[in-house]
Amino acid sequence: MCALRPSDRVFVALDTPAMDGALSLARCLGGMVGGIKLGKAFFTANGPQGVERIAATGLPVFLDLKFHDIPNTVADAVRAALALAPVMLTVHASGGAAMMRAAADAAGEAGADRPLVLGVTVLTSLGAEDLAATGLAGPVADQVMRLARLAQASGLDGVVCSAREAAALRAECGADFKLVVPGIRPAGAAAGDQKRTATPAEAVAAGADYLVIGRPVTGADDPAQAARAVIDEIEAA
Ligand code: C5P
């Protein structure tokens, strides 16, 4: 974790179905950030070929498809994802221990090129009242901790969590367990649909290894400058 440069820690989320827009953003961020996170909107519109075109810019790809299905199906999906050589991929930790174990085992088939397999705990757009509406009573932090423990016990490399839970997870899961934190909002940026947000400096201080930042960079007039400001803030933290 200490060996990571501030720029390596930043993954920019390209949540768009537009291939050309994604490609020009990736080109303008090339060499500046740790990588690009591609999710469901991009993948559904552009498929594996679209991912390959982004990867061809030279930026590492975090494939955030948040798999959540029966273990056999998730293992097959992870195997299919390996062909795209992502550096990280995600499954929902709420899919359970057997599903996460199947995902970790499938990823292991890539050997030295194995991507980090991360468990999504509780989406940063959800608050306590949203969890309660799904039948999960109790504080969000408790559910995040429960899912992170399960993810670690199931062989995952880390979890996606909000900065608010990062310090407790770092203490519980140890230095090697990767903490990937979305919901990053530099001071003054609009929260949008995110509820559990933090600034870049707060997320790093809380123990985040990687920060995922989307709209504050992709929606900026000058995305490269906005990414640079995030990296500078991490550097100064
Ligand atoms: O635009 P914004 O910075 O809110 O983008 C955050 C990204 O992180 C989105 O791609 C979203 O899918 C993802 N994410 C999240 N909360 C999680 C896991 C992933 O916001 N718990």
Side-chain angles (χ1 to χ4, degrees), residues 78-107:
V78 169
R79 274 188 208 101
L82 294 182
L84 299 169
V87 291
M88 303 186 215
L89 59 80
T90 47
V91 301
H92 270 288
S94 52
M99 190 206 79
M100 287 190 277
R101 174 64 62 192
D105 289 348

PDB file of all heavy atoms in Angstrom, residues 78-107:
ATOM      1  N   VAL A  78     -16.680 -14.521 -14.219  1.00  0.00           N
ATOM      2  CA  VAL A  78     -15.312 -14.087 -13.866  1.00  0.00           C
ATOM      3  C   VAL A  78     -14.324 -14.650 -14.878  1.00  0.00           C
ATOM      4  O   VAL A  78     -13.438 -13.935 -15.365  1.00  0.00           O
ATOM      5  CB  VAL A  78     -14.948 -14.525 -12.429  1.00  0.00           C
ATOM      6  CG1 VAL A  78     -13.452 -14.324 -12.160  1.00  0.00           C
ATOM      7  CG2 VAL A  78     -15.783 -13.745 -11.413  1.00  0.00           C
ATOM      8  N   ARG A  79     -14.492 -15.937 -15.233  1.00  0.00           N
ATOM      9  CA  ARG A  79     -13.582 -16.534 -16.244  1.00  0.00           C
ATOM     10  C   ARG A  79     -13.664 -15.756 -17.559  1.00  0.00           C
ATOM     11  O   ARG A  79     -12.649 -15.480 -18.187  1.00  0.00           O
ATOM     12  CB  ARG A  79     -13.965 -17.990 -16.508  1.00  0.00           C
ATOM     13  CG  ARG A  79     -13.335 -18.931 -15.537  1.00  0.00           C
ATOM     14  CD  ARG A  79     -13.563 -20.398 -15.907  1.00  0.00           C
ATOM     15  NE  ARG A  79     -13.522 -21.118 -14.660  1.00  0.00           N
ATOM     16  CZ  ARG A  79     -14.592 -21.545 -13.970  1.00  0.00           C
ATOM     17  NH1 ARG A  79     -15.806 -21.394 -14.466  1.00  0.00           N
ATOM     18  NH2 ARG A  79     -14.433 -22.141 -12.815  1.00  0.00           N
ATOM     19  N   ALA A  80     -14.871 -15.391 -17.958  1.00  0.00           N
ATOM     20  CA  ALA A  80     -15.026 -14.633 -19.206  1.00  0.00           C
ATOM     21  C   ALA A  80     -14.350 -13.268 -19.090  1.00  0.00           C
ATOM     22  O   ALA A  80     -13.732 -12.777 -20.039  1.00  0.00           O
ATOM     23  CB  ALA A  80     -16.511 -14.466 -19.531  1.00  0.00           C
ATOM     24  N   ALA A  81     -14.435 -12.674 -17.904  1.00  0.00           N
ATOM     25  CA  ALA A  81     -13.824 -11.351 -17.693  1.00  0.00           C
ATOM     26  C   ALA A  81     -12.300 -11.423 -17.768  1.00  0.00           C
ATOM     27  O   ALA A  81     -11.649 -10.453 -18.157  1.00  0.00           O
ATOM     28  CB  ALA A  81     -14.254 -10.776 -16.344  1.00  0.00           C
ATOM     29  N   LEU A  82     -11.732 -12.568 -17.420  1.00  0.00           N
ATOM     30  CA  LEU A  82     -10.261 -12.684 -17.414  1.00  0.00           C
ATOM     31  C   LEU A  82      -9.672 -12.416 -18.796  1.00  0.00           C
ATOM     32  O   LEU A  82      -8.545 -11.933 -18.915  1.00  0.00           O
ATOM     33  CB  LEU A  82      -9.822 -14.074 -16.940  1.00  0.00           C
ATOM     34  CG  LEU A  82     -10.143 -14.432 -15.482  1.00  0.00           C
ATOM     35  CD1 LEU A  82      -9.604 -15.822 -15.150  1.00  0.00           C
ATOM     36  CD2 LEU A  82      -9.594 -13.392 -14.513  1.00  0.00           C
ATOM     37  N   ALA A  83     -10.448 -12.709 -19.833  1.00  0.00           N
ATOM     38  CA  ALA A  83      -9.961 -12.478 -21.196  1.00  0.00           C
ATOM     39  C   ALA A  83      -9.679 -11.000 -21.441  1.00  0.00           C
ATOM     40  O   ALA A  83      -8.918 -10.641 -22.340  1.00  0.00           O
ATOM     41  CB  ALA A  83     -10.989 -12.976 -22.202  1.00  0.00           C
ATOM     42  N   LEU A  84     -10.298 -10.127 -20.619  1.00  0.00           N
ATOM     43  CA  LEU A  84     -10.114  -8.681 -20.789  1.00  0.00           C
ATOM     44  C   LEU A  84      -8.984  -8.146 -19.913  1.00  0.00           C
ATOM     45  O   LEU A  84      -8.704  -6.945 -19.927  1.00  0.00           O
ATOM     46  CB  LEU A  84     -11.425  -7.956 -20.468  1.00  0.00           C
ATOM     47  CG  LEU A  84     -12.583  -8.366 -21.388  1.00  0.00           C
ATOM     48  CD1 LEU A  84     -13.908  -7.835 -20.849  1.00  0.00           C
ATOM     49  CD2 LEU A  84     -12.337  -7.855 -22.795  1.00  0.00           C
ATOM     50  N   ALA A  85      -8.357  -9.042 -19.142  1.00  0.00           N
ATOM     51  CA  ALA A  85      -7.216  -8.701 -18.287  1.00  0.00           C
ATOM     52  C   ALA A  85      -7.448  -7.469 -17.399  1.00  0.00           C
ATOM     53  O   ALA A  85      -6.609  -6.559 -17.366  1.00  0.00           O
ATOM     54  CB  ALA A  85      -5.957  -8.510 -19.149  1.00  0.00           C
ATOM     55  N   PRO A  86      -8.585  -7.416 -16.682  1.00  0.00           N
ATOM     56  CA  PRO A  86      -8.770  -6.274 -15.775  1.00  0.00           C
ATOM     57  C   PRO A  86      -7.813  -6.395 -14.583  1.00  0.00           C
ATOM     58  O   PRO A  86      -7.386  -7.504 -14.234  1.00  0.00           O
ATOM     59  CB  PRO A  86     -10.219  -6.431 -15.307  1.00  0.00           C
ATOM     60  CG  PRO A  86     -10.468  -7.906 -15.373  1.00  0.00           C
ATOM     61  CD  PRO A  86      -9.660  -8.417 -16.544  1.00  0.00           C
ATOM     62  N   VAL A  87      -7.496  -5.252 -13.975  1.00  0.00           N
ATOM     63  CA  VAL A  87      -6.668  -5.312 -12.756  1.00  0.00           C
ATOM     64  C   VAL A  87      -7.534  -5.526 -11.527  1.00  0.00           C
ATOM     65  O   VAL A  87      -7.043  -5.951 -10.486  1.00  0.00           O
ATOM     66  CB  VAL A  87      -5.774  -4.060 -12.587  1.00  0.00           C
ATOM     67  CG1 VAL A  87      -4.697  -4.027 -13.650  1.00  0.00           C
ATOM     68  CG2 VAL A  87      -6.591  -2.773 -12.594  1.00  0.00           C
ATOM     69  N   MET A  88      -8.817  -5.192 -11.631  1.00  0.00           N
ATOM     70  CA  MET A  88      -9.760  -5.424 -10.531  1.00  0.00           C
ATOM     71  C   MET A  88     -11.119  -5.754 -11.128  1.00  0.00           C
ATOM     72  O   MET A  88     -11.454  -5.266 -12.217  1.00  0.00           O
ATOM     73  CB  MET A  88      -9.972  -4.160  -9.682  1.00  0.00           C
ATOM     74  CG  MET A  88      -8.756  -3.549  -9.077  1.00  0.00           C
ATOM     75  SD  MET A  88      -9.289  -2.176  -7.992  1.00  0.00           S
ATOM     76  CE  MET A  88      -7.945  -1.045  -8.243  1.00  0.00           C
ATOM     77  N   LEU A  89     -11.889  -6.558 -10.401  1.00  0.00           N
ATOM     78  CA  LEU A  89     -13.290  -6.764 -10.771  1.00  0.00           C
ATOM     79  C   LEU A  89     -14.112  -6.911  -9.502  1.00  0.00           C
ATOM     80  O   LEU A  89     -13.561  -7.124  -8.420  1.00  0.00           O
ATOM     81  CB  LEU A  89     -13.454  -7.958 -11.726  1.00  0.00           C
ATOM     82  CG  LEU A  89     -13.001  -9.345 -11.306  1.00  0.00           C
ATOM     83  CD1 LEU A  89     -14.032 -10.013 -10.411  1.00  0.00           C
ATOM     84  CD2 LEU A  89     -12.796 -10.213 -12.547  1.00  0.00           C
ATOM     85  N   THR A  90     -15.424  -6.792  -9.645  1.00  0.00           N
ATOM     86  CA  THR A  90     -16.290  -6.778  -8.462  1.00  0.00           C
ATOM     87  C   THR A  90     -17.391  -7.840  -8.504  1.00  0.00           C
ATOM     88  O   THR A  90     -17.909  -8.185  -9.574  1.00  0.00           O
ATOM     89  CB  THR A  90     -16.987  -5.410  -8.302  1.00  0.00           C
ATOM     90  OG1 THR A  90     -17.525  -5.020  -9.566  1.00  0.00           O
ATOM     91  CG2 THR A  90     -16.038  -4.352  -7.811  1.00  0.00           C
ATOM     92  N   VAL A  91     -17.721  -8.304  -7.311  1.00  0.00           N
ATOM     93  CA  VAL A  91     -18.914  -9.130  -7.114  1.00  0.00           C
ATOM     94  C   VAL A  91     -19.641  -8.533  -5.896  1.00  0.00           C
ATOM     95  O   VAL A  91     -19.008  -7.864  -5.087  1.00  0.00           O
ATOM     96  CB  VAL A  91     -18.562 -10.615  -6.833  1.00  0.00           C
ATOM     97  CG1 VAL A  91     -17.768 -11.212  -7.978  1.00  0.00           C
ATOM     98  CG2 VAL A  91     -17.804 -10.784  -5.523  1.00  0.00           C
ATOM     99  N   HIS A  92     -20.937  -8.757  -5.782  1.00  0.00           N
ATOM    100  CA  HIS A  92     -21.649  -8.270  -4.589  1.00  0.00           C
ATOM    101  C   HIS A  92     -21.381  -9.218  -3.425  1.00  0.00           C
ATOM    102  O   HIS A  92     -21.660 -10.422  -3.527  1.00  0.00           O
ATOM    103  CB  HIS A  92     -23.157  -8.208  -4.858  1.00  0.00           C
ATOM    104  CG  HIS A  92     -23.602  -6.896  -5.411  1.00  0.00           C
ATOM    105  ND1 HIS A  92     -23.659  -5.746  -4.653  1.00  0.00           N
ATOM    106  CD2 HIS A  92     -23.981  -6.529  -6.661  1.00  0.00           C
ATOM    107  CE1 HIS A  92     -24.072  -4.730  -5.408  1.00  0.00           C
ATOM    108  NE2 HIS A  92     -24.260  -5.191  -6.635  1.00  0.00           N
ATOM    109  N   ALA A  93     -20.865  -8.678  -2.334  1.00  0.00           N
ATOM    110  CA  ALA A  93     -20.601  -9.528  -1.165  1.00  0.00           C
ATOM    111  C   ALA A  93     -21.898 -10.144  -0.639  1.00  0.00           C
ATOM    112  O   ALA A  93     -21.885 -11.235  -0.063  1.00  0.00           O
ATOM    113  CB  ALA A  93     -19.919  -8.706  -0.071  1.00  0.00           C
ATOM    114  N   SER A  94     -23.023  -9.477  -0.866  1.00  0.00           N
ATOM    115  CA  SER A  94     -24.300 -10.024  -0.388  1.00  0.00           C
ATOM    116  C   SER A  94     -24.705 -11.265  -1.173  1.00  0.00           C
ATOM    117  O   SER A  94     -25.687 -11.925  -0.843  1.00  0.00           O
ATOM    118  CB  SER A  94     -25.398  -8.962  -0.466  1.00  0.00           C
ATOM    119  OG  SER A  94     -25.435  -8.411  -1.761  1.00  0.00           O
ATOM    120  N   GLY A  95     -23.938 -11.622  -2.215  1.00  0.00           N
ATOM    121  CA  GLY A  95     -24.185 -12.872  -2.947  1.00  0.00           C
ATOM    122  C   GLY A  95     -23.796 -14.100  -2.130  1.00  0.00           C
ATOM    123  O   GLY A  95     -24.138 -15.234  -2.504  1.00  0.00           O
ATOM    124  N   GLY A  96     -23.079 -13.889  -1.034  1.00  0.00           N
ATOM    125  CA  GLY A  96     -22.795 -14.992  -0.116  1.00  0.00           C
ATOM    126  C   GLY A  96     -21.415 -15.607  -0.266  1.00  0.00           C
ATOM    127  O   GLY A  96     -20.694 -15.385  -1.249  1.00  0.00           O
ATOM    128  N   ALA A  97     -21.057 -16.406   0.731  1.00  0.00           N
ATOM    129  CA  ALA A  97     -19.706 -16.974   0.821  1.00  0.00           C
ATOM    130  C   ALA A  97     -19.382 -17.893  -0.351  1.00  0.00           C
ATOM    131  O   ALA A  97     -18.299 -17.802  -0.944  1.00  0.00           O
ATOM    132  CB  ALA A  97     -19.553 -17.726   2.141  1.00  0.00           C
ATOM    133  N   ALA A  98     -20.303 -18.769  -0.711  1.00  0.00           N
ATOM    134  CA  ALA A  98     -19.998 -19.733  -1.786  1.00  0.00           C
ATOM    135  C   ALA A  98     -19.798 -19.011  -3.112  1.00  0.00           C
ATOM    136  O   ALA A  98     -18.913 -19.363  -3.904  1.00  0.00           O
ATOM    137  CB  ALA A  98     -21.125 -20.757  -1.900  1.00  0.00           C
ATOM    138  N   MET A  99     -20.606 -17.986  -3.341  1.00  0.00           N
ATOM    139  CA  MET A  99     -20.468 -17.222  -4.582  1.00  0.00           C
ATOM    140  C   MET A  99     -19.123 -16.495  -4.622  1.00  0.00           C
ATOM    141  O   MET A  99     -18.424 -16.496  -5.645  1.00  0.00           O
ATOM    142  CB  MET A  99     -21.623 -16.219  -4.706  1.00  0.00           C
ATOM    143  CG  MET A  99     -21.707 -15.551  -6.055  1.00  0.00           C
ATOM    144  SD  MET A  99     -22.520 -13.926  -5.970  1.00  0.00           S
ATOM    145  CE  MET A  99     -21.173 -12.913  -5.357  1.00  0.00           C
ATOM    146  N   MET A 100     -18.738 -15.895  -3.517  1.00  0.00           N
ATOM    147  CA  MET A 100     -17.452 -15.173  -3.492  1.00  0.00           C
ATOM    148  C   MET A 100     -16.284 -16.137  -3.628  1.00  0.00           C
ATOM    149  O   MET A 100     -15.307 -15.861  -4.321  1.00  0.00           O
ATOM    150  CB  MET A 100     -17.330 -14.343  -2.205  1.00  0.00           C
ATOM    151  CG  MET A 100     -18.242 -13.121  -2.228  1.00  0.00           C
ATOM    152  SD  MET A 100     -17.906 -11.982  -0.865  1.00  0.00           S
ATOM    153  CE  MET A 100     -18.841 -12.734   0.450  1.00  0.00           C
ATOM    154  N   ARG A 101     -16.385 -17.284  -2.981  1.00  0.00           N
ATOM    155  CA  ARG A 101     -15.317 -18.294  -3.088  1.00  0.00           C
ATOM    156  C   ARG A 101     -15.183 -18.755  -4.546  1.00  0.00           C
ATOM    157  O   ARG A 101     -14.076 -18.883  -5.069  1.00  0.00           O
ATOM    158  CB  ARG A 101     -15.645 -19.467  -2.147  1.00  0.00           C
ATOM    159  CG  ARG A 101     -14.755 -20.665  -2.223  1.00  0.00           C
ATOM    160  CD  ARG A 101     -13.317 -20.412  -1.822  1.00  0.00           C
ATOM    161  NE  ARG A 101     -13.165 -19.985  -0.431  1.00  0.00           N
ATOM    162  CZ  ARG A 101     -12.016 -19.489   0.069  1.00  0.00           C
ATOM    163  NH1 ARG A 101     -10.956 -19.339  -0.718  1.00  0.00           N
ATOM    164  NH2 ARG A 101     -11.937 -19.122   1.328  1.00  0.00           N
ATOM    165  N   ALA A 102     -16.310 -18.964  -5.204  1.00  0.00           N
ATOM    166  CA  ALA A 102     -16.281 -19.385  -6.613  1.00  0.00           C
ATOM    167  C   ALA A 102     -15.632 -18.311  -7.483  1.00  0.00           C
ATOM    168  O   ALA A 102     -14.865 -18.615  -8.406  1.00  0.00           O
ATOM    169  CB  ALA A 102     -17.704 -19.679  -7.098  1.00  0.00           C
ATOM    170  N   ALA A 103     -15.916 -17.048  -7.177  1.00  0.00           N
ATOM    171  CA  ALA A 103     -15.324 -15.942  -7.947  1.00  0.00           C
ATOM    172  C   ALA A 103     -13.815 -15.894  -7.721  1.00  0.00           C
ATOM    173  O   ALA A 103     -13.040 -15.737  -8.679  1.00  0.00           O
ATOM    174  CB  ALA A 103     -15.964 -14.615  -7.527  1.00  0.00           C
ATOM    175  N   ALA A 104     -13.395 -16.034  -6.475  1.00  0.00           N
ATOM    176  CA  ALA A 104     -11.957 -15.977  -6.164  1.00  0.00           C
ATOM    177  C   ALA A 104     -11.229 -17.137  -6.837  1.00  0.00           C
ATOM    178  O   ALA A 104     -10.144 -16.962  -7.402  1.00  0.00           O
ATOM    179  CB  ALA A 104     -11.753 -16.006  -4.655  1.00  0.00           C
ATOM    180  N   ASP A 105     -11.817 -18.321  -6.775  1.00  0.00           N
ATOM    181  CA  ASP A 105     -11.182 -19.493  -7.389  1.00  0.00           C
ATOM    182  C   ASP A 105     -11.065 -19.312  -8.903  1.00  0.00           C
ATOM    183  O   ASP A 105     -10.031 -19.625  -9.500  1.00  0.00           O
ATOM    184  CB  ASP A 105     -11.976 -20.768  -7.085  1.00  0.00           C
ATOM    185  CG  ASP A 105     -11.837 -21.184  -5.621  1.00  0.00           C
ATOM    186  OD1 ASP A 105     -10.968 -20.628  -4.921  1.00  0.00           O
ATOM    187  OD2 ASP A 105     -12.609 -22.065  -5.184  1.00  0.00           O
ATOM    188  N   ALA A 106     -12.124 -18.813  -9.530  1.00  0.00           N
ATOM    189  CA  ALA A 106     -12.093 -18.609 -10.986  1.00  0.00           C
ATOM    190  C   ALA A 106     -11.025 -17.585 -11.347  1.00  0.00           C
ATOM    191  O   ALA A 106     -10.268 -17.768 -12.307  1.00  0.00           O
ATOM    192  CB  ALA A 106     -13.469 -18.156 -11.481  1.00  0.00           C
ATOM    193  N   ALA A 107     -10.937 -16.509 -10.573  1.00  0.00           N
ATOM    194  CA  ALA A 107      -9.922 -15.480 -10.855  1.00  0.00           C
ATOM    195  C   ALA A 107      -8.521 -16.066 -10.730  1.00  0.00           C
ATOM    196  O   ALA A 107      -7.612 -15.704 -11.487  1.00  0.00           O
ATOM    197  CB  ALA A 107     -10.087 -14.296  -9.908  1.00  0.00           C
TER     198      ALA A 107
END
